[in-house]
Amino acid sequence: MTTAPFSLARRLRAGETVYSGWSNLASPVVAESIAREGFPAVVIDVQHGLWDVASAFAAIAGINHAGSAPVLRVPLNDFAFVSRALDIGAEGIIAPMINTPTDASAFAAVAKFPPVGERSFGPHRAMALQGRKVPVDYLREANEGTLTFAMIETPTALANVDEIAATPGIDALFIGPYDLSTSLSAGKAQDITAPEVETAIDRIREAADKAGKIPGIFCRDAERAKAMAKRGFRFVTVGNDLGFLRESASAALKVLQG
Amino acid sequence: MTTAPFSLARRLRAGETVYSGWSNLASPVVAESIAREGFPAVVIDVQHGLWDVASAFAAIAGINHAGSAPVLRVPLNDFAFVSRALDIGAEGIIAPMINTPTDASAFAAVAKFPPVGERSFGPHRAMALQGRKVPVDYLREANEGTLTFAMIETPTALANVDEIAATPGIDALFIGPYDLSTSLSAGKAQDITAPEVETAIDRIREAADKAGKIPGIFCRDAERAKAMAKRGFRFVTVGNDLGFLRESASAALKVLQG
Amino acid sequence: MTTAPFSLARRLRAGETVYSGWSNLASPVVAESIAREGFPAVVIDVQHGLWDVASAFAAIAGINHAGSAPVLRVPLNDFAFVSRALDIGAEGIIAPMINTPTDASAFAAVAKFPPVGERSFGPHRAMALQGRKVPVDYLREANEGTLTFAMIETPTALANVDEIAATPGIDALFIGPYDLSTSLSAGKAQDITAPEVETAIDRIREAADKAGKIPGIFCRDAERAKAMAKRGFRFVTVGNDLGFLRESASAALKVLQG
Amino acid sequence: MTTAPFSLARRLRAGETVYSGWSNLASPVVAESIAREGFPAVVIDVQHGLWDVASAFAAIAGINHAGSAPVLRVPLNDFAFVSRALDIGAEGIIAPMINTPTDASAFAAVAKFPPVGERSFGPHRAMALQGRKVPVDYLREANEGTLTFAMIETPTALANVDEIAATPGIDALFIGPYDLSTSLSAGKAQDITAPEVETAIDRIREAADKAGKIPGIFCRDAERAKAMAKRGFRFVTVGNDLGFLRESASAALKVLQG
Amino acid sequence: MTTAPFSLARRLRAGETVYSGWSNLASPVVAESIAREGFPAVVIDVQHGLWDVASAFAAIAGINHAGSAPVLRVPLNDFAFVSRALDIGAEGIIAPMINTPTDASAFAAVAKFPPVGERSFGPHRAMALQGRKVPVDYLREANEGTLTFAMIETPTALANVDEIAATPGIDALFIGPYDLSTSLSAGKAQDITAPEVETAIDRIREAADKAGKIPGIFCRDAERAKAMAKRGFRFVTVGNDLGFLRESASAALKVLQG
Amino acid sequence: MTTAPFSLARRLRAGETVYSGWSNLASPVVAESIAREGFPAVVIDVQHGLWDVASAFAAIAGINHAGSAPVLRVPLNDFAFVSRALDIGAEGIIAPMINTPTDASAFAAVAKFPPVGERSFGPHRAMALQGRKVPVDYLREANEGTLTFAMIETPTALANVDEIAATPGIDALFIGPYDLSTSLSAGKAQDITAPEVETAIDRIREAADKAGKIPGIFCRDAERAKAMAKRGFRFVTVGNDLGFLRESASAALKVLQG
Ligand SMILES: [Mg+2]
Ligand SMILES: [Mg+2]
Ligand SMILES: [Mg+2]
Ligand SMILES: [Mg+2]
Ligand SMILES: [Mg+2]
Ligand SMILES: [Mg+2]
């Protein structure tokens, strides 16, 4: 099981659909196990999960070891983490709450080397994990080989979605349907099937398509993920580790109590 | 010993005085032990303490386990940590150096869900610790059930204290008397009983009262904490773990050498 | 969700059947999550899992926090760990490869206070987790309140099973069917339904019953666990965390590829 | 604040009385803080405390950094840990439940280099902490410079105390009064002032004196420690970190509620 | 081996040249070992290294223990970390990508107490490591005793270099030649000997000299470091831990295969 | 860079000479980096190094990730660790101080499955790292595919060396020349070139050859390693991580001071 570096970017840029795992529990072995089960990418969710820097860095290596692409969602506005995660070997970064073109540019600035952005050079760990020896090769390939996912999940972001999509250095839009539901309902609901959410989802996918960027979306289960892929999304995340664990544990308990 | 979720907010909003422990040493068991001794809340001080993300998250669970309310002081301007700590189960957040209404709004934005702020939804761990099953219940109750403490500790903050207190989503003012002394003395003193500090302390408490917000203050020992409670403060922190440890160790050494 | 200390011993000594979760992945939150899903006990498997001392101790607290009973399987012959785990709050200890009455006595010696054994006194953490204040209460109740599970999983152990069961301080027998299969087949098989394994399973259960001890067994899934409970086993473990994770991940992948 | 290596042995072998701190909480900074407060030695209690290997090793360095002597109590019969802790820089080892001359010899074997024992050579970390460059200097000085404390805490040990004291490579006897009370009362009491415990304490001190070994004892507080020093004990431990913490926290709470 | 607090500042302010080690591998013992080998300062590189908060804080203590000065490079724009690292005992902070006077002021604000900046007071750990008892002494001495290194590594920074150097609270300029090469070549090269890089290096050193600030530079090996010292640089970093490790391992492999 | 499972055993059983790295510093990334530099095996030295269970397990995965074979030296008599390390993916185990045939049998018992030994089955992590799906395949191949190295390093072991070598389940003899020197000199020397050490080294190699087992030896540097390979040793360890680090750091300092 070998890892071709930058495989996620290659597949998505070639138009493939990629289903990704998702991990909150801050256990590198758990994230790696999801990868080993067959997901070609796994998201390490630092925004809402239990991850810290050390566990996230270990998980990047573990997912890479499993032959899968590590993707990392950074905390809100934590742009320093964007560069750090790429240095350590993340192949994609999801940044939450990219609401304006300014947000998008700030994200791209730390994720892309000059001339696109201002990312500082220091990918020692990424190079080791990828078996690289020549720094300038990494420098030359990384802007194309790693991916920036700008999260669209507020009314402001919706209003700016075309400009965000058009921002140089932004490779993909990624929908957070739960925050979209919360903000579109003014804090009253968590209903990702509400009509205004549905409309927004289509609007964002169209903006991505128009700008030639990759449309992505978070899904709680495989049925919805499959539906979203049919609807045109190409980076589609599926469930999460805690959900997987609870689902099986709950099923076992039902058998025992049945 | 059970934890009623959001008990700290309930008690403080009901007008009670709450004395809180304080922990710097980055040991979850130490913080939990202070809680178990009888403090109804314990502050995990990430700004000046040794805490990192992993130890702070473990301490939130430990304090909750002890039936006490975990409160977390974030590092300077680390607004990403505000949301993360709430997601993990903190019942209050202290943000240092809230000097302007802009600072206050930025703090509220990440601490409160729409329509008050823009907090992103993901409190999986908080829900587990609180025994909740229904996400929308957390969404509905969290803005009221968790507390934002804006630290007032500079001349600029003093000048803006009424506006800060009036900022929607700010629940409490919290005085840092040592930084107040430092800044009011232009870096010359650490004298929290200087007249200008005393005046400032009263000024801040009045601003909180006027705006209907909770006045809070940091105290190095129980005598002063009690005095501050009499003076009208309602969230009053008492000493810290290192101080507790050194106090008893020193007393033992005195006996041995006596 | 409160934890009545020593609930596992009380239930099993009263003749109830208890299904227990099982955790290998060395993530305290994973173990706690299995407990929260509804298992009244969870085994922290230090013998074959990834646990170290620090993570195991954190998991003991986490499972206790979830209102479930922490049980710990120690590594082979690691009798020092038996006492340590009990000190930290484990309510049961599973010791592998208890092949002779001597092994059984050595196990009991470290698990039971005088006069039954020679366990050293120091349960500070267990007392904190159980809300106890009086050390001598713990001393008085712990021999009855915590459980020793002697694993029977070799031909030698089978030959000695009645004496092991009769050893003072041994509360339960616990079958490891996979090692039983391996050793009964001289290293050729992992077949827990082979006739000689089936016969051994019955033999061990009868030995437990005859000696008035609790019969227990490891099961990979809920169907078999239920069958074993019907067959008279009363401490029955069900699957494990990695299996739960893989099962759901695999199911999701099947939907996606379907 | 510099650490003269092997200062504890030098002082105790010269006939001085040394009061030592005690740490259970598995926080290197807590142990170091007790040292900094003025204790010339601090015991890292791995037997009954929360320590694991990594935290214990970090604490050895921290206590050394504070200019104090790190001493480590190993878990029951964990003789591998004896050598490891010495390699990392412990200046003394307390081994629990040394009940027979055989136990004592086994302890000495792993703690002393040939010809006294069979300790394997590898003190890289100890040498770094002590500022040594020449391995053979460590080899030559360590048998004298580090200390073995054999715990006497059972009736069997009492019966064998003279032979244990006479064992080559055993430098000191160390009384565990709580286990002594437990075992002498057949598990009924934790009364360290019972007459049979008092008699045993004197008996053990006399055995140490007669064999020219250092008598030591565990004490829960400074008053008793002082009394024991007057009674002739020379390595006297005083309280512990959790006790220190609780004592001050409790005093603060009393003021607040007063 | 004792640590005189603030020795790095004293030596550099006195005009001495200081060669510093550099550590990426997030192992406190590795960083400490480099210090012990004889480097009077060691940089903990959090920007591009594997360090997290907990390991970086442990490394600060370890380097201090070795009698060397801990310096920490913070992640991009992570100004909260500046104060935290100083609180824990760092004697210097390197901040990357200080491109404008505004960046420089923001850096100084968190690193210097009033009246120079707005650093909040809480150096409990630094005081312990430095053997201090009186907080106001630290307050009085820290602005002079700790150092801010502003990294100049982009065309924008070059254009602003005199103003950055003149910013109150900025003590030193520190050149990042690799990012300078990258940005001056618009992302095409990693050539630190290119003429435009050479010119920039001189330009920055002159700006530092003119403003009376310390000129510093990152060097990959000792030859270049020595050359840079001759060229007038006074804080010169030399190689890094991974490079040291690989160099010796590679040399050994060459012998083996030779 | 892929890892063929059990490559170390295959190569050594085929008569090849394998040079191995050695790691004490308890940093998984350091151990992995030595592997990546080109060593086909790396020893994780838990006996004399700083490793704990968690770091050692992470290092096993890291070395495997680098395409190298993880080997682990367990602490003295820590036979429980033997099985655990194999479960996690170690391809060889070095056990110190195997002085008698009884020691050798006890080592083999925990390292080999029936019928050779009594190793308990649970290699979940090893199977994941090796990409295996079928447990019984691991069971069938592991006795041949993993290696036991019995350390010969005392006069007693020398006297028993033929019987130790002949013990079923012992695959290799591994010489510890420093302990051999210490014990042969009755604690006076660390001279691995002394005549009695030289004689012993030859004696042990011959015993291995005669029994058809692999002869191995610890060497501090590459020159000696090469000489030992010429002398007939086939598993030859070379230096260690701390030595590598110090060697390069020292060389850099010499250049700087030259
Ligand atoms: Mg979101
Ligand atoms: Mg403050
Ligand atoms: Mg078994
Ligand atoms: Mg005892
Ligand atoms: Mg740079
Ligand atoms: Mg040896």
Side-chain angles (χ1 to χ4, degrees):
Chain A
M1 205 181 304
T2 58
T3 308
F6 300 159
S7 64
L8 180 66
R10 205 157 27 237
R11 292 179 60 176
L12 287 171
R13 291 194 195 281
E16 287 185 45
T17 298
V18 174
Y19 293 111
S20 174
W22 190 277
S23 179
N24 286 322
L25 290 175
S27 163
V29 165
V30 165
E32 179 184 332
S33 299
I34 291 176
R36 286 194 188 281
E37 205 58 28
F39 282 101
V42 178
V43 178
I44 299 160
D45 181 9
V46 189
Q47 184 193 17
H48 288 304
L50 287 155
W51 298 98
D52 72 336
V53 166
S55 56
F57 286 5
I60 287 174
I63 294 166
N64 172 285
H65 194 173
S68 177
V71 175
L72 190 140
R73 179 158 75 170
V74 295
L76 186 69
N77 291 328
D78 194 344
F79 292 129
F81 209 149
V82 173
S83 302
R84 293 196 77 194
L86 293 171
D87 280 355
I88 304 308
E91 302 201 4
I93 303 288
I94 303 176
M97 299 275 169
I98 299 298
N99 291 337
T100 65
T102 307
D103 291 345
S105 293
F107 178 22
V110 293
K112 301 294 178 185
F113 290 116
V116 182
E118 303 157 21
R119 181 180 166 196
S120 173
F121 193 84
H124 312 295
R125 184 70 176 143
M127 288 176 59
L129 293 178
Q130 296 171 7
R132 283 177 195 275
K133 304 288 181 197
V134 188
V136 86
D137 287 352
Y138 183 92
L139 176 64
R140 191 166 31 82
E141 298 174 24
N143 279 4
E144 187 75 12
T146 61
L147 296 169
T148 50
F149 296 85
M151 287 197 75
I152 306 296
E153 44 185 346
T154 66
T156 311
L158 269 179
N160 292 317
V161 67
D162 290 312
E163 284 170 277
I164 292 169
T167 303
I170 296 299
D171 300 308
L173 303 184
F174 187 73
I175 299 179
Y178 293 93
D179 276 327
L180 212 41
S181 165
T182 301
S183 56
L184 290 173
S185 70
K188 294 205 189 66
Q190 287 267 298
D191 177 4
I192 60 171
T193 59
E196 69 270 24
V197 179
E198 287 286 302
T199 306
I201 285 172
D202 286 331
R203 171 78 185 85
I204 297 164
R205 200 201 58 243
E206 288 158 15
D209 289 346
K210 197 175 65 179
K213 303 298 172 72
I214 301 153
I217 189 163
F218 175 96
C219 298
R220 263 202 204 150
D221 58 62
E223 298 294 354
R224 185 171 160 95
K226 217 171 155 180
M228 285 297 164
K230 286 203 183 113
R231 206 153 145 186
F233 287 92
R234 287 195 289 109
F235 181 72
V236 184
T237 69
V238 186
N240 64 62
D241 46 5
L242 180 57
F244 283 167
L245 203 63
R246 296 186 60 188
E247 186 180 293
S248 294
S250 167
L253 283 160
K254 262 187 211 114
V255 170
L256 296 169
Q257 292 151 0
Chain B
M1 202 181 306
T2 58
T3 308
F6 300 158
S7 64
L8 180 66
R10 204 157 30 238
R11 291 178 63 176
L12 287 171
R13 293 194 194 281
E16 287 185 46
T17 297
V18 174
Y19 293 112
S20 174
W22 190 278
S23 180
N24 286 322
L25 291 175
S27 162
V29 165
V30 165
E32 179 184 333
S33 298
I34 290 175
R36 286 194 186 279
E37 205 59 26
F39 282 100
V42 178
V43 177
I44 298 160
D45 181 8
V46 188
Q47 184 193 16
H48 288 305
L50 287 155
W51 298 97
D52 71 336
V53 166
S55 56
F57 287 4
I60 287 174
I63 294 166
N64 172 286
H65 193 174
S68 178
V71 176
L72 190 140
R73 179 159 74 171
V74 294
L76 186 70
N77 290 329
D78 193 345
F79 292 129
F81 209 149
V82 173
S83 302
R84 294 196 76 196
L86 293 171
D87 280 354
I88 304 307
E91 302 201 4
I93 302 288
I94 303 176
M97 301 275 169
I98 299 297
N99 291 337
T100 65
T102 307
D103 291 344
S105 293
F107 178 23
V110 292
K112 302 293 178 186
F113 290 116
V116 181
E118 302 157 22
R119 180 180 166 197
S120 173
F121 192 84
H124 313 295
R125 184 70 177 143
M127 288 176 60
L129 293 178
Q130 295 172 7
R132 283 176 194 276
K133 305 287 182 199
V134 187
V136 85
D137 287 351
Y138 183 92
L139 175 64
R140 192 167 30 83
E141 297 173 25
N143 279 2
E144 188 75 10
T146 61
L147 295 169
T148 50
F149 296 85
M151 287 198 75
I152 306 297
E153 45 185 347
T154 66
T156 312
L158 268 180
N160 292 318
V161 67
D162 289 313
E163 284 169 278
I164 293 169
T167 303
I170 297 298
D171 299 308
L173 303 184
F174 187 73
I175 299 178
Y178 294 92
D179 276 328
L180 212 41
S181 165
T182 300
S183 57
L184 290 173
S185 71
K188 295 206 188 65
Q190 287 267 298
D191 177 5
I192 62 172
T193 59
E196 70 270 25
V197 180
E198 285 288 301
T199 306
I201 286 172
D202 285 331
R203 172 77 185 88
I204 297 164
R205 199 202 59 243
E206 288 159 14
D209 289 347
K210 198 175 66 181
K213 304 297 173 74
I214 301 153
I217 189 164
F218 176 95
C219 297
R220 262 201 203 151
D221 59 62
E223 299 294 354
R224 186 172 159 94
K226 216 171 155 180
M228 285 296 162
K230 286 202 183 114
R231 206 153 145 185
F233 287 92
R234 288 195 287 109
F235 181 73
V236 184
T237 69
V238 186
N240 64 64
D241 46 5
L242 179 58
F244 282 168
L245 202 65
R246 294 187 60 188
E247 186 179 295
S248 294
S250 168
L253 282 161
K254 263 188 210 113
V255 170
L256 296 169
Q257 291 151 3
Chain C
M1 205 181 305
T2 59
T3 308
F6 300 158
S7 63
L8 180 66
R10 206 157 26 239
R11 292 178 61 176
L12 286 171
R13 291 193 195 281
E16 287 184 45
T17 297
V18 174
Y19 293 111
S20 174
W22 191 277
S23 179
N24 286 322
L25 291 176
S27 162
V29 165
V30 165
E32 180 185 332
S33 299
I34 290 175
R36 287 194 187 279
E37 204 60 26
F39 282 99
V42 179
V43 178
I44 299 160
D45 181 8
V46 188
Q47 184 193 16
H48 288 304
L50 288 155
W51 297 98
D52 72 337
V53 166
S55 56
F57 286 5
I60 287 174
I63 294 166
N64 173 286
H65 193 174
S68 178
V71 175
L72 190 138
R73 180 158 74 171
V74 294
L76 186 69
N77 291 327
D78 193 345
F79 292 130
F81 210 150
V82 172
S83 302
R84 295 196 75 196
L86 292 171
D87 280 354
I88 304 307
E91 302 201 4
I93 303 288
I94 302 175
M97 300 274 169
I98 299 297
N99 292 336
T100 65
T102 307
D103 291 345
S105 293
F107 178 22
V110 293
K112 301 293 178 184
F113 290 117
V116 182
E118 303 158 20
R119 180 179 166 197
S120 174
F121 193 84
H124 312 295
R125 184 70 177 143
M127 288 176 59
L129 293 179
Q130 296 172 7
R132 282 176 196 277
K133 306 288 182 198
V134 187
V136 84
D137 288 352
Y138 183 91
L139 176 64
R140 193 165 31 82
E141 298 173 23
N143 280 2
E144 187 74 12
T146 60
L147 296 170
T148 50
F149 296 84
M151 288 198 75
I152 306 297
E153 45 185 346
T154 65
T156 312
L158 269 179
N160 293 316
V161 68
D162 289 311
E163 285 170 276
I164 292 169
T167 303
I170 297 298
D171 300 308
L173 303 184
F174 186 74
I175 299 178
Y178 294 93
D179 275 327
L180 213 40
S181 164
T182 301
S183 56
L184 290 173
S185 71
K188 296 206 187 66
Q190 287 266 300
D191 176 5
I192 61 173
T193 59
E196 69 270 25
V197 179
E198 286 287 300
T199 305
I201 286 173
D202 285 330
R203 172 78 185 87
I204 297 165
R205 199 202 59 243
E206 287 158 15
D209 289 346
K210 197 175 65 179
K213 304 299 172 71
I214 301 152
I217 190 164
F218 175 96
C219 299
R220 262 200 204 152
D221 59 63
E223 298 294 353
R224 186 171 159 95
K226 215 171 159 182
M228 285 296 163
K230 285 201 184 114
R231 207 153 145 186
F233 288 92
R234 288 196 287 109
F235 181 73
V236 184
T237 69
V238 186
N240 64 64
D241 46 5
L242 180 58
F244 283 168
L245 203 64
R246 294 186 61 187
E247 187 180 293
S248 294
S250 167
L253 282 161
K254 266 191 207 108
V255 170
L256 296 169
Q257 292 151 0
Chain D
M1 203 180 305
T2 57
T3 307
F6 300 158
S7 63
L8 180 66
R10 207 158 25 238
R11 292 178 62 176
L12 287 172
R13 291 194 195 279
E16 288 184 46
T17 298
V18 174
Y19 293 111
S20 174
W22 192 277
S23 178
N24 286 322
L25 291 175
S27 161
V29 165
V30 165
E32 180 184 332
S33 299
I34 290 175
R36 287 193 186 280
E37 204 60 26
F39 282 100
V42 178
V43 178
I44 299 160
D45 181 8
V46 188
Q47 184 193 16
H48 288 306
L50 288 155
W51 298 97
D52 71 337
V53 166
S55 56
F57 286 5
I60 287 174
I63 293 166
N64 172 285
H65 193 175
S68 178
V71 176
L72 189 139
R73 180 159 74 172
V74 295
L76 186 69
N77 292 327
D78 193 345
F79 292 130
F81 209 150
V82 173
S83 302
R84 295 196 74 195
L86 293 171
D87 279 354
I88 305 307
E91 302 201 5
I93 302 288
I94 303 175
M97 300 274 169
I98 299 298
N99 291 336
T100 65
T102 307
D103 291 346
S105 294
F107 178 21
V110 293
K112 302 294 177 185
F113 290 116
V116 182
E118 303 157 21
R119 180 180 166 197
S120 173
F121 193 84
H124 313 294
R125 183 72 177 143
M127 287 176 60
L129 293 178
Q130 296 172 7
R132 282 176 196 277
K133 304 287 180 199
V134 186
V136 85
D137 288 352
Y138 183 93
L139 176 64
R140 193 166 29 84
E141 298 173 24
N143 279 3
E144 187 74 13
T146 60
L147 296 169
T148 50
F149 297 84
M151 287 198 75
I152 307 296
E153 46 185 345
T154 66
T156 311
L158 268 179
N160 293 318
V161 69
D162 290 311
E163 284 170 277
I164 293 169
T167 303
I170 296 299
D171 300 307
L173 303 184
F174 187 73
I175 300 178
Y178 294 92
D179 276 327
L180 212 40
S181 164
T182 301
S183 57
L184 290 172
S185 71
K188 294 206 188 66
Q190 287 267 298
D191 177 5
I192 62 172
T193 60
E196 69 271 23
V197 179
E198 285 288 300
T199 305
I201 286 172
D202 286 331
R203 173 78 185 88
I204 298 164
R205 200 203 57 243
E206 288 158 14
D209 289 347
K210 198 175 66 181
K213 304 297 173 72
I214 301 152
I217 190 163
F218 176 95
C219 298
R220 264 203 203 150
D221 58 62
E223 298 294 354
R224 186 172 160 93
K226 216 170 157 180
M228 284 297 162
K230 285 201 183 116
R231 206 154 146 185
F233 287 93
R234 287 195 287 109
F235 182 73
V236 184
T237 69
V238 186
N240 64 63
D241 48 4
L242 180 57
F244 283 167
L245 202 65
R246 294 187 59 188
E247 187 179 293
S248 295
S250 168
L253 283 160
K254 266 192 207 106
V255 170
L256 296 169
Q257 292 151 0
Chain E
M1 206 181 303
T2 58
T3 308
F6 299 159
S7 64
L8 180 66
R10 207 159 24 240
R11 291 178 63 176
L12 287 172
R13 292 194 195 280
E16 286 184 46
T17 298
V18 174
Y19 293 111
S20 174
W22 190 278
S23 179
N24 286 322
L25 291 175
S27 162
V29 165
V30 165
E32 180 185 332
S33 298
I34 290 175
R36 286 194 187 280
E37 204 59 27
F39 282 100
V42 178
V43 177
I44 299 160
D45 181 8
V46 189
Q47 185 193 16
H48 288 304
L50 287 155
W51 298 97
D52 71 336
V53 166
S55 56
F57 286 6
I60 287 174
I63 294 166
N64 173 286
H65 193 174
S68 177
V71 176
L72 190 140
R73 180 158 74 170
V74 295
L76 186 70
N77 291 328
D78 193 344
F79 292 129
F81 209 150
V82 173
S83 302
R84 295 196 75 197
L86 293 171
D87 280 355
I88 304 308
E91 302 200 5
I93 303 288
I94 302 176
M97 300 273 168
I98 299 298
N99 292 336
T100 65
T102 307
D103 291 344
S105 293
F107 178 22
V110 292
K112 302 293 177 185
F113 290 117
V116 182
E118 302 157 22
R119 180 180 166 196
S120 174
F121 193 83
H124 313 295
R125 184 70 177 144
M127 288 176 61
L129 293 178
Q130 296 171 7
R132 285 175 193 277
K133 304 288 180 197
V134 187
V136 85
D137 288 352
Y138 183 92
L139 176 64
R140 192 166 31 83
E141 298 172 24
N143 279 3
E144 187 73 12
T146 59
L147 296 169
T148 50
F149 297 84
M151 287 198 75
I152 307 297
E153 46 185 345
T154 64
T156 312
L158 268 180
N160 292 318
V161 69
D162 290 312
E163 284 170 277
I164 292 169
T167 303
I170 295 300
D171 299 308
L173 303 184
F174 187 73
I175 300 178
Y178 294 93
D179 276 327
L180 212 42
S181 164
T182 302
S183 57
L184 290 173
S185 70
K188 295 204 188 68
Q190 287 266 299
D191 177 5
I192 62 172
T193 60
E196 69 271 24
V197 179
E198 285 287 301
T199 305
I201 285 173
D202 285 330
R203 172 79 185 87
I204 297 164
R205 199 202 58 242
E206 288 159 14
D209 289 347
K210 197 174 67 179
K213 304 298 173 71
I214 300 153
I217 190 164
F218 175 95
C219 299
R220 262 201 204 152
D221 58 63
E223 298 295 353
R224 185 172 160 95
K226 216 171 156 181
M228 285 296 163
K230 286 203 183 113
R231 206 153 145 184
F233 287 92
R234 287 195 288 109
F235 182 73
V236 183
T237 68
V238 186
N240 64 63
D241 47 4
L242 180 58
F244 283 167
L245 202 65
R246 295 186 60 187
E247 187 179 292
S248 294
S250 167
L253 283 161
K254 265 189 209 112
V255 170
L256 296 168
Q257 292 151 1
Chain F
M1 206 181 305
T2 57
T3 307
F6 300 158
S7 64
L8 180 65
R10 206 159 25 238
R11 291 178 61 176
L12 287 171
R13 292 193 195 281
E16 288 185 45
T17 298
V18 174
Y19 293 111
S20 174
W22 191 278
S23 178
N24 286 322
L25 291 175
S27 162
V29 165
V30 165
E32 180 184 333
S33 299
I34 290 175
R36 287 193 187 281
E37 204 60 24
F39 282 100
V42 178
V43 178
I44 299 159
D45 181 7
V46 188
Q47 184 193 17
H48 288 305
L50 288 154
W51 297 98
D52 71 336
V53 166
S55 56
F57 286 5
I60 287 173
I63 293 166
N64 172 285
H65 193 175
S68 178
V71 176
L72 190 139
R73 180 159 74 171
V74 294
L76 187 69
N77 291 328
D78 193 345
F79 293 128
F81 209 148
V82 173
S83 302
R84 294 196 75 196
L86 293 172
D87 280 355
I88 304 308
E91 302 202 5
I93 303 288
I94 302 175
M97 300 275 168
I98 299 298
N99 291 336
T100 65
T102 307
D103 291 345
S105 293
F107 178 23
V110 293
K112 301 293 177 186
F113 290 117
V116 182
E118 303 158 19
R119 181 180 166 197
S120 173
F121 193 84
H124 312 296
R125 184 70 177 143
M127 288 175 60
L129 293 178
Q130 296 171 7
R132 283 176 195 277
K133 305 287 181 199
V134 187
V136 85
D137 288 351
Y138 183 92
L139 175 64
R140 193 167 30 84
E141 299 173 23
N143 280 3
E144 187 75 12
T146 61
L147 295 170
T148 50
F149 296 85
M151 286 197 76
I152 306 296
E153 45 185 344
T154 66
T156 312
L158 269 179
N160 293 317
V161 68
D162 290 312
E163 284 170 276
I164 292 169
T167 304
I170 297 299
D171 300 308
L173 303 184
F174 186 74
I175 299 178
Y178 294 93
D179 276 327
L180 211 42
S181 165
T182 301
S183 56
L184 290 174
S185 70
K188 294 204 188 67
Q190 287 266 299
D191 177 5
I192 61 172
T193 60
E196 69 270 24
V197 180
E198 286 288 299
T199 306
I201 286 173
D202 285 331
R203 172 79 185 86
I204 298 164
R205 199 202 58 242
E206 287 158 15
D209 289 347
K210 197 175 65 180
K213 303 297 172 73
I214 301 153
I217 189 163
F218 176 95
C219 298
R220 262 201 203 151
D221 57 64
E223 298 294 354
R224 186 172 160 93
K226 216 170 156 181
M228 285 297 163
K230 286 200 184 115
R231 206 153 146 185
F233 287 93
R234 286 196 288 110
F235 181 72
V236 184
T237 69
V238 186
N240 64 64
D241 47 5
L242 179 58
F244 283 167
L245 202 64
R246 294 187 60 188
E247 187 179 294
S248 295
S250 168
L253 282 161
K254 265 191 208 108
V255 170
L256 297 169
Q257 292 151 1

